[in-house]
Amino acid sequence: MSRRGRFGVAAAAFASGAAAYGLYRLGARYRPDAPLAGLTDFRARVRSGMAERERDLRDALGYDATGVAPKLAGDGRAPAYPSSPQVDSARLSAEEARDLLRDPAGPRPDRVAGDEGAGI
């Protein structure tokens, strides 16, 4: 085996060991007594966070989670919107802009509680 081949094998072994150690440490953050079970907990938290974010995006876009996408202009399923939609030209205050950034779909009573420290 050439010098370049041995170096490649050594680099791959080192990278694999580093990745395994990193995953072990990640699992230990969630369950110090059982790091491998901690990886399962981490995976569950990521999946629930993704589902919550998808729900928030669907709410913001006006999609029904169980139904089909709404009919939009130009897709052949709905009439086109009027050429000049009515627009309210009032400027947002700083607090209204902050609220819009926190929740683009508008506040919902079931999710407003506990939103005090959103960081925006």
Side-chain angles (χ1 to χ4, degrees), residues 89-105:
S89 62
R91 293 183 53 91
L92 295 176
S93 68
E95 185 62 33
E96 290 171 332
R98 230 177 273 117
D99 290 341
L100 185 61
L101 286 172
R102 282 189 186 133
D103 193 0

Side-chain angles (χ1 to χ4, degrees), residues 52-62 92 94-116 118-120:
E52 181 180 349
R53 181 63 178 152
E54 182 179 1
R55 187 194 74 220
D56 291 344
L57 290 172
R58 285 184 174 275
D59 288 347
L61 294 173
L92 295 176
E95 185 62 33
E96 290 171 332
R98 230 177 273 117
D99 290 341
L100 185 61
L101 286 172
R102 282 189 186 133
D103 193 0
R108 287 187 38 198
D110 60 330
R111 287 192 274 146
V112 170
D115 189 33
E116 292 80 24
I120 295 177

